[in-house]
Amino acid sequence: MALSKVTDVIADLPLGVKATGGAVLAGAVLAAIWKGLGTRQANRKVYPRDTIVIHQIGRGPCVPSLTPFAIKLETYFRMEDIPYEVVHSWLRPSRKTGKVPYLEYNDLEVPDSEFILEFLSKEKNFDLHTGLTQEQIGVGRAFQKMAEENTYWCMMADRWVLDKTNMVWKVFRVPRILWGFGKRSIQKTMYAQGMGRRTPEEIRHIMSEDLKALSYYLGSKKFLFGDKACKFDCAVFGILAVMKWASFGGFGASVLQEYPNLCDYCERMKETFWPDWEEMIQTDCTK
């Protein structure tokens, strides 16, 4: 029986039966995940010492990763010619935060893209802000935090909750029966963060105002601070890349198109640091 037919049958069941069935399904899903984790743990690859290994959720159908923070890290490593390895598995998040991406380095685990870069800058002895003035560092951090702590949540709402086509759920191949549970979980997180208390119109407006500020500052410059890209470009590009190429049925891409210089900026970052972009993207969200 096709999955769609199964879900239709489930929808017609009495509430008590659905509740019991939901508990059984949840248990089965958790058991499958646990089994998968055990298999992956047993088959973990052993890397040479001092290898930078980034764990992320897998290549996307339109972008090298569906998480902008993995794009940020990989773009920076490419920009600075830092060798690294990538492990694709959303079933094995950080033990510290339960999220990806995270760094595996020798016997250490470092979560959070920004902490990863700070850790590696000390471990490998390189400057994250080479060539930038103190003023530029201040401006760069402000734009990075706007993008990662504000624009990002607009994008999350657009892609995972507001999109009526549910395209991102289909891309991740999440069974339809779990969409409602997943949306409620994301909405709960977004409500606590604050963006979830906004109307769809307000969320779109906030996203547009963020992009307008970034567009005004970028102007006709090649990158944020001139002809040479920096760490802050990598962070901003991560957010914009997912918005431009992986909004799916959401409004993110159309909002970004209102700012041509940001669209050109995305293409420029892609061409400069991802000449293998088409080779990196995968329709089944794997490596």
Side-chain angles (χ1 to χ4, degrees):
M1 185 181 291
L3 180 59
S4 61
K5 293 182 179 179
V6 172
T7 54
D8 290 341
V9 171
I10 291 173
D12 293 332
L13 291 174
L15 182 59
V17 175
K18 286 193 285 188
T20 302
V24 172
L25 177 63
V29 171
L30 289 174
I33 291 175
W34 184 260
K35 181 178 179 180
L37 286 171
T39 301
R40 285 165 174 75
Q41 190 69 19
N43 297 329
R44 288 188 69 174
K45 180 178 178 180
V46 177
Y47 294 92
R49 190 161 183 81
D50 297 337
T51 301
I52 295 172
V53 182
I54 298 299
H55 291 256
Q56 65 138 307
I57 59 177
R59 303 300 185 192
C62 306
V63 284
S65 178
L66 289 173
T67 169
F69 303 103
I71 296 178
K72 164 188 172 179
L73 287 174
E74 290 198 64
T75 303
Y76 183 81
F77 295 150
R78 286 162 174 256
M79 183 177 73
E80 297 295 342
D81 293 320
I82 299 173
Y84 67 98
E85 298 283 344
V86 178
V87 174
H88 303 279
S89 176
W90 65 271
L91 290 176
R92 196 169 70 200
S94 167
R95 289 170 295 182
K96 296 181 179 179
T97 64
K99 297 181 179 181
V100 289
Y102 68 91
L103 168 71
E104 178 185 347
Y105 186 78
N106 298 333
D107 298 324
L108 296 174
E109 177 186 300
V110 182
D112 189 282
S113 60
E114 198 64 18
F115 286 137
I116 289 171
L117 292 179
E118 290 178 7
F119 169 83
L120 289 175
S121 70
K122 296 175 182 177
E123 190 70 23
K124 300 291 188 179
N125 192 30
F126 59 82
D127 186 358
L128 289 171
H129 305 305
T130 301
L132 297 182
T133 66
Q134 291 183 343
E135 180 181 354
Q136 288 172 330
I137 293 172
V139 171
R141 181 172 175 83
F143 275 116
Q144 176 181 330
K145 288 304 176 181
M146 179 192 74
E148 293 184 341
E149 305 290 348
N150 199 62
T151 318
Y152 168 76
W153 287 104
C154 295
M155 184 179 68
M156 283 288 289
D158 174 40
R159 212 167 53 155
W160 290 96
V161 179
L162 301 178
D163 175 20
K164 301 302 182 183
T165 69
N166 294 302
M167 189 59 67
V168 72
W169 297 93
K170 298 172 185 176
V171 169
F172 271 94
R173 298 185 179 181
V174 178
R176 185 181 296 269
I177 195 172
L178 298 179
W179 292 0
F181 171 80
K183 283 192 174 187
R184 286 191 295 274
S185 178
I186 293 173
Q187 284 176 314
K188 183 177 180 180
T189 299
M190 290 181 54
Y191 189 86
Q193 186 272 339
M195 194 63 70
R197 302 166 191 252
R198 305 290 185 180
T199 66
E201 294 75 19
E202 288 173 336
I203 292 172
R204 182 182 180 122
H205 176 72
I206 292 170
M207 176 188 285
S208 182
E209 289 298 300
D210 283 358
L211 296 183
K212 182 188 296 183
L214 184 60
S215 174
Y216 284 169
Y217 186 79
L218 178 65
S220 60
K221 297 193 295 294
K222 188 175 181 180
F223 301 109
L224 283 177
F225 299 113
D227 293 334
K228 181 177 173 57
C230 66
K231 178 181 79 74
F232 300 119
D233 286 289
C234 299
V236 169
F237 174 65
I239 300 295
L240 296 185
V242 173
M243 189 181 298
K244 178 176 174 59
W245 289 294
S247 285
F248 304 115
F251 54 67
S254 64
V255 174
L256 183 61
Q257 287 173 2
E258 296 172 7
Y259 305 98
N261 67 331
L262 294 185
C263 293
D264 293 343
Y265 171 79
C266 286
E267 294 290 349
R268 194 156 47 246
M269 288 289 292
K270 174 183 169 183
E271 292 170 5
T272 304
F273 302 112
W274 290 89
D276 56 347
W277 184 278
E278 295 301 323
E279 300 169 26
M280 290 292 102
I281 61 178
Q282 296 289 333
T283 57
D284 58 355
C285 299
T286 60
K287 59 184 178 180

